Amino acid sequence: MGMAASQARFLGLTARKSNVEFEGQQINQQRTTLSNQSANYYSSLLGMSVPTPPSVDNYTKTVYTFNDGALTNTITTLIAQNDGLYTLSYLSQYEDEFTPVAASTSVVNKDEANNTYHVGSVQLRKLGDKIARDGDGKYVGNPPDEYLSSLSKDQLDALEKEEASYVALLDEKYGTQDDGWMVRYIQNSSTGVWSPYFYKMSDLEGAGVVTDNNGNITSAVNCYTMGSSTKTNEIKGVEDCKIEKDSTGRFIAVSIPSEWNDAGDVTDYITYTLTTSTVTDQDAYDDAMNQYEYDKYLYDQSIQEINAQIEIIQAQDKNLELRLKQLDTEQDAISTEMDAVEKVIEKNTESSFKTFG
């Protein structure tokens, strides 16, 4: 190889080596950037809060109750006073055996010609209206009513008073009805007892009532009757109560003031035995569990997304690492060839000096 060709080859190899080194620097910079991104993702993983399932213990509390005849009382708050006594609040519950309650809905038919309403074969009548009587005070209404026809004059008198109380009770619980109430009586086939069933006139003739071409109500109508329901009364801030505890610190009895002297001091107490039970707020626990499942889903989804990004970064870094190894191999080859060319140039230079020496 001649001097000029050798020098040209050496210059080409030098330029190529510079390009390889520059590309290697760029790859190292890219790997540093990927490393920073990966570190950020790992930091995000470490900073994430792992959802924990709710403990049923957090939604379970100890409840103290005491009975006073037919009343069941549940303590809601018990605040210690400075003198060692307590201020007591509690819920008092009892079963009201004579109150309006919802019954099964009924299909009501309307007789357009007579403007009357029927459930099956029984005609509804206006609740609280005077009952049609004959001279002896017996029922003579039309159409015949099996229940009313079975009652004596005194029983009909009592029924009219009873129906007036029905109206008051229904209006108190469900709101005063300007158009009043309708009623029918049904006999229990097992006991023989007749029970009243009530309907709001507004449900029979209101603007939202849907009827067919014959005027019959096509949707079921709400029905009510007399039954039992639990009533609750809250008693708050009863002062100067006493509490008895057992050796474990659990409350076992409560004494509530029953008599006071003229100075306002308590002179007598009524003591009630306390019953201890644990109650779990199942609805609140279920809500917390649903929230946990949702949070866990979001957490798992975030973990999967971050891991997927880390895998992508790792794959990119692997490709860059392979390319960097290729450049190292190429640089070694270039260096080896440059050494060989450099030796050729040295020999050519020596030969030139000898020729002209």
Side-chain angles (χ1 to χ4, degrees), residues 26 91 112 131 173 197 207 216 227 244 269 276 309 328:
Q26 287 184 316
L91 292 177
E112 289 285 357
I131 298 174
K173 185 167 184 177
Y197 289 83
N216 295 320
E244 183 180 351
Y269 286 86
T276 306
Q309 292 298 321
D328 287 341

Side-chain angles (χ1 to χ4, degrees), residues 5-19 334 337-338 341:
S6 298
Q7 289 179 338
R9 178 61 177 164
F10 188 81
L11 291 175
L13 291 171
T14 302
R16 185 176 170 189
K17 183 177 182 181
S18 297
N19 288 337
I334 292 173
E337 188 172 355
M338 286 181 67
V341 172

Side-chain angles (χ1 to χ4, degrees), residues 78 81 84-88 238-243 254-257 269:
L78 197 60
Q81 301 173 194
L85 300 176
Y86 292 81
T87 298
L88 172 71
V238 181
E239 297 182 344
D240 301 326
C241 296
K242 296 178 180 179
I243 290 293
V254 59
S255 297
I256 299 176
Y269 286 86

Side-chain angles (χ1 to χ4, degrees), residues 126-318:
K126 192 69 174 291
L127 180 65
D129 279 1
K130 294 292 290 183
I131 298 174
R133 316 271 195 101
D134 61 15
D136 296 327
K138 293 282 289 182
Y139 170 73
V140 292
N142 187 30
D145 185 291
E146 183 180 358
Y147 173 57
L148 298 182
S149 299
S150 69
L151 301 179
S152 66
K153 175 184 180 302
D154 291 340
Q155 289 174 323
L156 288 172
D157 291 340
L159 180 63
E160 287 183 345
K161 294 179 181 179
E162 195 173 85
E163 288 191 347
S165 69
Y166 287 156
V167 172
L169 289 171
L170 289 163
D171 284 347
E172 179 183 2
K173 185 167 184 177
Y174 299 109
T176 301
Q177 303 298 308
D178 295 334
D179 297 327
W181 297 81
M182 302 293 282
V183 65
R184 67 185 176 110
Y185 289 88
I186 299 297
Q187 187 177 32
N188 187 304
S189 58
S190 300
T191 64
V193 175
W194 291 85
S195 299
Y197 289 83
F198 312 107
Y199 304 85
K200 296 177 183 178
M201 276 300 298
S202 58
D203 287 342
L204 302 175
E205 295 184 346
V209 176
V210 180
T211 59
D212 59 19
N213 294 332
N214 297 320
N216 295 320
I217 300 173
T218 57
S219 57
V221 178
N222 291 330
C223 179
Y224 310 88
T225 188
M226 302 305 294
S228 62
S229 66
T230 301
K231 296 294 182 67
T232 301
N233 183 33
E234 186 174 13
I235 293 86
K236 298 185 71 67
V238 181
E239 297 182 344
D240 301 326
C241 296
K242 296 178 180 179
I243 290 293
E244 183 180 351
K245 304 178 183 179
D246 63 12
S247 59
T248 66
R250 189 184 67 177
F251 301 150
I252 58 175
V254 59
S255 297
I256 299 176
S258 59
E259 293 184 11
W260 296 259
N261 60 23
D262 293 339
D265 299 322
V266 179
T267 59
D268 199 6
Y269 286 86
I270 298 177
T271 300
Y272 301 96
T273 300
L274 292 176
T275 300
T276 306
S277 60
T278 55
V279 176
T280 300
D281 189 342
Q282 193 63 45
D283 290 339
Y285 175 75
D286 290 342
D287 288 343
M289 181 58 75
N290 290 335
Q291 184 64 46
Y292 161 73
E293 294 292 347
Y294 176 70
D295 292 342
K296 184 175 181 297
Y297 165 77
L298 293 180
Y299 174 80
D300 291 341
Q301 189 176 49
S302 297
I303 292 293
Q304 292 174 3
E305 290 175 354
I306 291 175
N307 286 335
Q309 292 298 321
I310 291 175
E311 287 179 3
I312 292 173
I313 290 173
Q314 289 174 340
Q316 292 174 337
D317 184 69
K318 186 67 175 178

